[in-house]
Amino acid sequence: MKTNTILTGDRPTGKLHIGHYLGSLKNRVKLQNEGRYKMFIMIADMQALTDNARDPKKVRDSLIQVALDYLSVGIDPSKTNILVQSQIPALNELTMYYLDLVTVSRLERNPTVKTEIKQKSFGQSIPAGFLTYPVSQTADITAFKADTVPVGDDQEPMMEQAREIVRTFNNTYDVDTLVEPEGYFPPKGQGRLPGIDGNAKMSKSLGNCIYLSDSADEVTKKVMSMYTDPDHVHVQDPGKIEGNTVFTYLDAFATDKDKVAELKEQYQAGGLGDVKVKRYLNDVLQEILEPIRNRRAEYEKDIPGVYDILKKGSDNANVVANQTLSKVRKAIGVNYFD
């Protein structure tokens, strides 16, 4: 049976939250434990620096937090290579070769990049590294021969650009050196979780997150402050389910779907208060987050050991990336001294 290779990861710009857990982390653990994939999970610190170059401490401090989040949700370093992007030198050389095959206008047309540039309000001061990060991302994917890349729906334009670069490289040099990747998308409706304030996006910058590392008391406080139906003033008032963040979270996390359906019916008919629904959601989330918190606490006792895990994963990744780089050099003809 063929073993597929997965590459996925996150930018270290802060701790990860339950939106990350729902959209990607939970699925990564599932794929890892299936045993059908060779897994590489990258902490993309160089990509984080494309818009945080003047605040490198933020990236450095976040790197260990993201590593702890990975380990706490069940990413197993004996089954998965957890690596640090900046520690894989071959990625930089691959990026340079691929940049020569991509035009600036093509990069500027990438819908994901255009959206993120607008969100970050760069104006005309777009860091060159940020504009070209689809090429860097292609280097990440191809270096490890990844044919499967778990991403959110909004990342499909990035995957398409990666496939374009692979095809251009292979056609230009008349080789089949690079592997064309496909996106692996979360189940419909699970790609993005709204913030606790009702904002369509849960975001670290908006301060509307429940973090995987939050204490039980912090989770309770955040759940009890969540946005519901502003017109549901009294218990006896009929309430709306649509746009009600508490019910959105219950749909995403609760396993007892009959219980959720019953609560929805009661809420819409009137006679069910927000507090009771929030308490149930809090119970649901605490059950999920308690083992994650407990694992994190164990790993936090040995931070040098966590760095050792990252070094070992990066060392393993370097072996694979250097093999790819050697083939790329040979295809282009710059292996002068081999």
Side-chain angles (χ1 to χ4, degrees):
M1 183 175 67
K2 179 187 175 184
T3 300
N4 294 79
T5 300
I6 283 178
L7 175 79
T8 185
D10 299 277
R11 288 160 39 101
T13 55
K15 295 179 179 180
L16 302 181
H17 51 66
I18 61 172
H20 294 116
Y21 178 76
L22 181 71
S24 61
L25 297 176
K26 182 180 177 182
N27 202 37
R28 292 177 197 174
V29 174
K30 174 179 173 289
L31 293 170
Q32 164 195 272
N33 293 338
E34 286 177 2
R36 296 189 295 114
Y37 300 93
K38 186 174 183 180
M39 299 275 294
F40 294 92
I41 298 184
M42 172 183 288
I43 304 180
D45 56 334
M46 288 195 300
Q47 193 177 116
L49 285 167
T50 60
D51 56 328
N52 290 281
R54 289 169 175 78
D55 188 11
K57 186 176 185 300
K58 174 183 176 182
V59 177
R60 286 198 306 272
D61 292 347
S62 296
L63 183 137
I64 194 65
Q65 298 301 326
V66 171
L68 287 166
D69 285 330
Y70 285 168
L71 296 166
S72 69
V73 300
I75 299 298
D76 183 345
S78 71
K79 299 177 181 177
T80 297
N81 291 288
I82 307 174
L83 60 127
V84 180
Q85 186 182 30
S86 63
Q87 304 308 299
I88 317 298
L91 300 179
N92 299 304
E93 189 171 341
L94 289 171
T95 299
M96 285 302 299
Y97 295 141
Y98 298 166
L99 278 169
D100 295 332
L101 302 174
V102 182
T103 65
V104 172
S105 62
R106 175 63 182 93
L107 290 169
E108 291 174 336
R109 288 199 311 273
N110 186 303
T112 304
V113 175
K114 286 169 68 175
T115 299
E116 292 185 7
I117 285 173
K118 185 176 180 181
Q119 287 174 345
K120 295 178 185 298
S121 303
F122 284 138
Q124 295 301 308
S125 302
I126 305 167
F130 192 88
L131 182 65
T132 60
Y133 88 76
V135 184
S136 170
Q137 192 168 343
T138 303
D140 300 337
I141 294 167
T142 57
F144 306 110
K145 307 180 182 74
D147 49 25
T148 308
V149 184
V151 289
D153 293 338
D154 61 333
Q155 294 294 306
E156 174 54 29
M158 304 291 281
M159 295 305 303
E160 181 53 39
Q161 184 142 29
R163 288 190 289 269
E164 284 180 17
I165 293 171
V166 167
R167 289 193 293 265
T168 301
F169 182 93
N170 287 345
N171 290 336
T172 299
Y173 301 111
D174 195 23
V175 292
D176 58 0
T177 301
L178 302 183
V179 177
E180 234 179 279
E182 292 294 333
Y184 184 101
F185 301 99
K188 197 163 183 65
Q190 291 189 18
R192 178 159 292 180
L193 198 67
I196 60 173
D197 57 357
N199 190 292
K201 183 180 180 183
M202 178 177 282
S203 166
K204 290 171 278 192
S205 61
L206 296 175
N208 60 1
C209 305
I210 295 175
Y211 292 100
L212 295 170
S213 54
D214 280 346
S215 69
D217 287 345
E218 287 171 327
V219 172
T220 299
K221 184 178 179 181
K222 289 179 179 181
V223 170
M224 299 310 291
S225 71
M226 283 177 70
Y227 178 86
T228 57
D229 174 6
D231 297 324
H232 187 246
V233 180
H234 305 291
V235 171
Q236 64 270 24
D237 294 339
K240 294 187 183 71
I241 301 300
E242 298 76 16
N244 188 319
T245 307
V246 176
F247 282 103
T248 302
Y249 278 43
L250 284 174
D251 284 337
F253 293 105
T255 56
D256 190 343
K257 301 305 180 186
D258 291 338
K259 171 76 170 176
V260 175
E262 181 184 326
L263 290 173
K264 286 181 177 180
E265 187 177 340
Q266 292 177 6
Y267 192 82
Q268 289 172 310
L272 179 61
D274 288 331
V275 171
K276 185 174 180 180
V277 185
K278 288 179 177 179
R279 283 176 178 163
Y280 177 60
L281 173 61
N282 184 56
D283 290 342
V284 168
L285 291 180
Q286 298 289 5
E287 185 177 354
I288 294 169
L289 293 173
E290 183 178 7
I292 293 174
R293 279 194 294 263
N294 292 341
R295 278 193 294 266
R296 185 187 183 94
E298 288 302 309
Y299 280 109
E300 284 178 330
K301 294 176 184 176
D302 184 16
I303 295 300
V306 176
Y307 277 108
D308 285 343
I309 289 170
L310 297 180
K311 184 178 187 306
K312 183 177 180 181
S314 298
D315 288 346
N316 292 340
N318 265 314
V319 173
V320 179
N322 286 334
Q323 289 171 349
T324 301
L325 178 59
S326 178
K327 291 179 180 178
V328 165
R329 286 174 172 171
K330 182 178 180 181
I332 298 172
V334 294
N335 57 335
Y336 306 115
F337 308 120
D338 288 353

